[in-house]
Amino acid sequence: MSRSDGRKPEELRPLHLHRGYSKFAEGSCLIELGNTHVLCTASVEDRVPSFLKGTGSGWVTAEYSMLPRATQQRTPREREKGPGGRTQEIQRFIGRSLRSVVDLEGLGERTITLDCDVVQGDGGTRTAAITGAYVALADAMSWLLSKGLIGRSLLLEAVAAVSVGVVLGVEYLDLNYEEDSQAAVDMNVVMTESGKFVEIQGTAEHAPFAEQRLARMLHMAQRAIGQIIEVQRRCLSSEP
């Protein structure tokens, strides 16, 4: 069954990672996943949240935002009232995903903040942000190493994410906005390089779905994340 953009149901959108996109950040990556583009920057600061002060442990966190015309209609900026509930949920999701692959104790009392700004949104912005933010985080670790602030890379393994869902009865990988808006089941899957799950967010938008369908969707996501991590690996092994 062909999709509106010509892909097969189990096919990812074209994925491009532009490492070192931002001149001043300790790490950065512009991820292009089809028509979804997210700029991810990593900033290293000598501070930690109050609950970590004096523990010697560090922190990795994330902030997420969408430029006003990243979508078909203008979305007002959230600067006056602060981030809304959806934004807070997404940035916590990104932060949890990145922390899962970092040795926080080895970081010392430092915070690495991943800012994920959606330049253009066509579905899958939160999963794209995790994939791009990992590359930015890896370069921030290299920066810390180059300054002698850590003695080894604190990344335990790679992490990436992808969406999967059911549209008109068919299981689709990496949903664009049009597909996501029609999805009967919508799911986001985060996994590590070793094949372990970090987080699964799955919702039946209309009717419940069977365990067999869940298993097929997770298998589809697992294969795709392996492909995405290979793209991350090639990106990080080349010159920025």
Side-chain angles (χ1 to χ4, degrees):
M1 182 176 179
S2 182
R3 301 159 74 169
S4 60
D5 56 10
R7 286 184 290 149
K8 296 176 182 179
E10 71 281 4
E11 188 177 352
L12 281 167
R13 287 176 284 181
L15 171 61
H16 302 284
L17 300 173
H18 304 276
R19 184 173 160 221
Y21 191 85
S22 179
K23 179 179 180 179
F24 301 112
E26 282 76 52
S28 65
C29 176
L30 175 70
I31 176 170
E32 297 179 357
L33 183 62
N35 289 321
T36 288
H37 302 171
V38 185
L39 175 59
C40 307
T41 56
S43 302
V44 179
E45 299 174 279
D46 291 325
R47 62 172 184 83
V48 288
S50 57
F51 67 88
L52 285 175
K53 287 182 179 178
T55 66
S57 181
W59 191 241
V60 174
T61 188
E63 293 192 11
Y64 169 96
S65 68
M66 187 173 289
L67 296 182
R69 279 316 302 263
T71 52
Q72 294 182 16
Q73 288 80 37
R74 184 180 186 275
T75 303
R77 299 182 191 271
E78 295 181 308
R79 60 191 176 195
E80 293 184 5
K81 296 182 179 180
R86 177 181 179 274
T87 298
Q88 290 186 45
E89 186 268 326
I90 292 173
Q91 55 194 30
R92 288 170 182 162
F93 178 50
I94 298 168
R96 286 193 301 270
S97 299
L98 275 297
R99 283 195 297 275
S100 73
V101 295
V102 176
D103 175 3
L104 295 174
E105 290 187 1
L107 188 58
E109 293 198 13
R110 298 184 182 89
T111 294
I112 302 178
T113 301
L114 285 310
D115 286 293
C116 302
D117 294 289
V118 179
V119 179
Q120 187 168 279
D122 185 32
T125 59
R126 69 183 70 189
T127 53
I130 290 168
T131 297
Y134 171 77
V135 174
L137 178 61
D139 273 346
M141 289 295 179
S142 296
W143 180 87
L144 284 164
L145 274 167
S146 71
K147 300 294 183 183
L149 298 173
I150 56 176
R152 57 181 173 83
S153 176
L154 304 175
L155 289 175
L156 306 176
E157 55 180 324
V159 67
V162 74
S163 66
V164 63
V166 178
V167 182
L168 301 177
V170 180
E171 291 141 16
Y172 280 176
L173 177 76
D174 187 20
L175 278 62
N176 61 27
Y177 177 78
E178 178 186 2
E179 294 164 345
D180 186 64
S181 65
Q182 301 176 60
V185 178
D186 185 18
M187 185 176 294
N188 299 304
V189 181
V190 187
M191 296 184 72
T192 67
E193 186 175 5
S194 61
K196 297 184 177 71
F197 291 100
V198 176
E199 189 155 345
I200 302 168
Q201 296 182 338
T203 304
E205 300 287 354
H206 300 295
F209 56 97
E211 181 181 353
Q212 293 85 350
R213 170 152 273 171
L214 172 63
R216 289 194 300 269
M217 289 193 293
L218 290 178
H219 180 67
M220 185 182 288
Q222 186 174 26
R223 289 184 60 189
I225 287 173
Q227 297 169 14
I228 294 168
I229 288 175
E230 180 57 34
V231 176
Q232 290 174 325
R233 185 182 295 114
R234 291 199 303 267
C235 175
L236 286 166
S237 66
S238 62
E239 289 295 323

